[in-house]
Amino acid sequence: NIFLSTLLPEINDIVELKITLHIFCAIYQKRSYPRFVTFRELLNNTNLMNSIKEAAESPDIKLRRALEMATKRGTVLHLVLDKNGMLNDLYFLNNNSGKQIMTKIRSGELILNGLKTDKQAAVEPIEDSPDIFTIYEQNIGMLTPMIAEELREAEKLYPINWIKDAIKEAVTLNKRNWRYIARILENWTTEGRSNGTHRQDSKTDPDKYIKGKYGHMVRR
C-alpha cells in the first residue's frame, strides 16, 4: 500500500522502477537470514539486464545509476562490505528489519560469511536469529504498516522469545493472524508459562485462545 500510494508516483525513471520491483521480489523470496541482494546478483540476472539494455549505455552503468537513485530516494539501504580484498555492494529494504540488520552488521554484532566492514575483525561468522518482523513475514504474511506497529508495541510488553513462540504456536494451530497471536500473548501473561516457554501439548485445542473475554475479536 505504501509503495502504490507514496513511492510509485515519485518514480519517473523506468529503470529505477524495474530495479526496485525486482529487489522487492528477490528479497521477499529469500528464506535465509539476513535477506538482501547484491549488485553482482542483479548484474548476473539475464532477464533483468536484457530489460534495461540499450546500445547507448551499458547495462551495468544503468544498473548502478538506478540503484543510486533508489538509495537516495530511501527505497533501499546500501552497504559496502569487503570480501578477500574486493568490495561488495549489498542492498536491503529500507524497513525496520533492514535497518536493524544494517545496525548489527556495522556494529560487528552480525558478521556475514566472508564479508566484513572495516571495523570488523576477521573472525568466524556467527549465526543470528531472525527478528520478529522477519519471522512474521516468513510464517504469517505480508508485514503491513499496521501490523509492524502492533509488533513494535508487543516488543514493549512481552519478551522477544514469547512473541516468536506465539507466532510458532499460531502457525502450528493454523491460526495465521495477528489477533490470534496477540491473544496467545495475553493468555500467557495472565495464566503464566512453564519455565518461560510454552508447553508442548499434543492435545492443544486450537480454539482455546478465542473462548475467553476477547474471543470475539479473533478471526477464525
Side-chain angles (χ1 to χ4, degrees), residues 30 49 102 117 138 141 148 185:
K30 292 193 174 185
M49 289 299 97
M102 289 269 287
T117 65
Q138 291 177 344
L185 293 168

Side-chain angles (χ1 to χ4, degrees), residues 129-141:
S129 60
D131 57 45
I132 59 174
F133 302 96
T134 301
I135 291 177
Y136 185 93
E137 286 183 319
Q138 291 177 344
N139 294 277
I140 305 300

Side-chain angles (χ1 to χ4, degrees), residues 183 185-192:
R183 187 58 182 147
L185 293 168
E186 289 173 9
N187 273 267
W188 286 347
T189 300
T190 57
E191 298 176 5

Side-chain angles (χ1 to χ4, degrees), residues 9-203:
E10 295 182 357
I11 300 177
N12 52 24
D13 184 274
I14 187 63
V15 178
E16 180 190 354
L17 178 59
K18 288 182 178 181
I19 298 302
T20 298
L21 291 173
H22 182 85
I23 290 175
F24 285 169
C25 181
I27 288 180
Y28 276 114
Q29 286 179 347
K30 292 193 174 185
R31 289 293 175 261
S32 57
Y33 177 84
R35 293 189 291 176
F36 59 88
V37 293
T38 67
F39 178 82
R40 193 171 301 278
E41 282 182 76
L42 298 171
L43 187 62
N44 290 336
N45 187 300
T46 304
N47 290 334
L48 178 63
M49 289 299 97
N50 285 339
S51 75
I52 64 173
K53 193 173 183 180
E54 285 185 3
E57 196 172 34
S58 62
D60 59 325
I61 294 178
K62 297 190 71 174
L63 172 61
R64 182 74 69 181
R65 186 172 63 245
L67 287 169
E68 290 175 354
M69 294 171 67
T71 302
K72 183 177 181 180
R73 193 179 304 283
T75 309
V76 297
L77 302 172
H78 179 207
L79 182 65
V80 180
L81 297 182
D82 177 87
K83 183 174 184 179
N84 300 324
M86 296 184 63
L87 297 181
N88 287 260
D89 295 274
L90 279 59
Y91 295 91
F92 304 81
L93 290 185
N94 188 6
N95 55 16
N96 289 317
S97 178
K99 291 175 182 176
Q100 290 175 6
I101 292 169
M102 289 269 287
T103 299
K104 290 180 180 180
I105 294 175
R106 284 173 171 162
S107 67
E109 182 181 349
L110 174 60
I111 301 177
L112 304 180
N113 186 20
L115 296 169
K116 60 180 183 296
T117 65
D118 293 337
K119 297 181 180 179
Q120 291 177 347
V123 297
E124 289 297 318
I126 59 174
E127 297 229 349
D128 196 15
S129 60
D131 57 45
I132 59 174
F133 302 96
T134 301
I135 291 177
Y136 185 93
E137 286 183 319
Q138 291 177 344
N139 294 277
I140 305 300
M142 183 177 294
L143 189 65
T144 64
M146 184 176 295
I147 294 299
E149 182 61 30
E150 293 279 6
L151 287 169
R152 282 191 289 269
E153 289 300 317
E155 279 187 303
K156 300 175 184 178
L157 299 173
Y158 310 105
I160 294 297
N161 65 303
W162 279 35
I163 301 174
K164 293 179 179 180
D165 287 344
I167 292 175
K168 292 177 183 177
E169 179 151 333
V171 171
T172 299
L173 301 175
N174 198 28
K175 302 288 184 177
R176 298 171 185 263
N177 64 79
W178 169 249
R179 285 185 175 180
Y180 192 84
I181 295 168
R183 187 58 182 147
I184 292 176
L185 293 168
E186 289 173 9
N187 273 267
W188 286 347
T189 300
T190 57
E191 298 176 5
R193 303 182 71 193
S194 176
N195 296 324
T197 59
H198 70 281
R199 293 182 287 272
Q200 298 292 336
D201 184 358
S202 60
K203 296 181 180 179

